[in-house]
Amino acid sequence: MDSAVANFIESELAATKGVLAQLYAQTDYRNILAQVAELYIDRLRAGGTLLFCGNGGSAADAQHIAGEFVSRFHFDRPGLAAIALSTDTSILTAIGNDYGYDRIFARQVQALGRRGDVLTVLSTSGNSPNVIKAITAARDGGLTVVGLGGGNGGAMAELCDHLLLAPSAVTPRIQECHLASYHLLCALVEARMFGALQG
């Protein structure tokens, strides 16, 4: 392998290791993560639904986390009610065409969300207009809002009920922290509801 390539790979892996180490060291992050897991459990047990949204890579993350809840994570158990708002192209293009791209999530929150549900938004900048409008729609509809962001959280920081921030302003590092965060949330919810951590 070329030394420049080897150095590049080493540098990128070191950056990932570093940001995850910072995340690991944050007591506040662990406390908020536990609170969000308990929120999810409470709302799921009450018959509520978890809604997820984001743009680009965060849209893929929204689909990923919803899939883990509906299908399974570590072991077989009943499916849990979760939906990603980035998956239905007919809905997305209809709303985008009729109302504008900034309404693609808010309109779905208004149509599908119910008081007591949870909207989780994923945004590396925290400033995406369609994410901000989704949060506003959720709050208007009586949903609780969880944010996964980075840096200082951007505009969404003041609007979320619970906020998990990656200790980075670099998009790939933020997304790596988001992956670790929602995998932990899935694992905690599954274990508390159906596994060894039941209670």
Side-chain angles (χ1 to χ4, degrees):
M1 181 190 308
D2 181 271
S3 62
V5 172
N7 290 338
F8 185 87
I9 293 170
E10 182 178 340
S11 175
E12 288 294 301
L13 288 174
T16 298
K17 178 182 177 182
V19 75
L20 291 175
Q22 290 179 60
L23 197 67
Y24 176 82
Q26 292 182 358
T27 303
D28 286 350
Y29 161 81
R30 297 184 196 193
N31 291 336
I32 296 168
L33 193 81
Q35 291 169 14
V36 172
E38 289 303 314
L39 170 69
Y40 284 0
I41 291 164
D42 178 67
R43 301 306 166 82
L44 289 166
R45 284 177 171 162
T49 301
L50 309 179
L51 292 79
F52 299 91
C53 71
N55 294 293
S58 296
D61 284 336
Q63 293 170 221
H64 184 163
I65 187 173
E68 304 286 21
F69 280 112
V70 172
S71 183
R72 53 167 284 168
F73 193 64
H74 280 307
F75 53 82
D76 289 329
R77 41 77 176 166
L80 298 170
I83 184 169
L85 305 181
S86 54
T87 58
D88 191 319
T89 55
S90 294
I91 288 176
L92 293 169
T93 54
I95 298 169
N97 184 62
D98 295 342
Y99 297 100
Y101 186 76
D102 63 337
R103 296 284 304 281
I104 60 170
F105 299 137
R107 186 75 172 177
Q108 292 184 78
V109 169
Q110 179 263 315
L112 302 173
R114 297 292 176 262
R115 183 171 297 277
D117 289 347
V118 182
L119 172 69
T120 299
V121 297
L122 299 97
S123 176
T124 58
S125 72
N127 296 316
S128 300
N130 57 9
V131 168
I132 300 302
K133 287 186 183 297
I135 294 171
T136 301
R139 296 184 73 85
D140 289 346
L143 285 74
T144 303
V145 180
V146 175
L148 274 70
N152 65 7
M156 77 177 190
E158 296 181 359
L159 303 174
C160 296
D161 298 295
H162 303 275
L163 186 63
L164 288 161
L165 290 178
S168 177
V170 179
T171 296
R173 303 291 87 84
I174 296 170
Q175 291 171 330
E176 287 158 1
C177 290
H178 287 180
L179 173 61
S181 297
Y182 64 72
H183 272 180
L184 272 167
L185 286 169
C186 290
L188 272 170
V189 169
E190 191 175 72
R192 289 276 286 118
M193 292 184 74
F194 307 105
L197 294 177
Q198 285 186 28

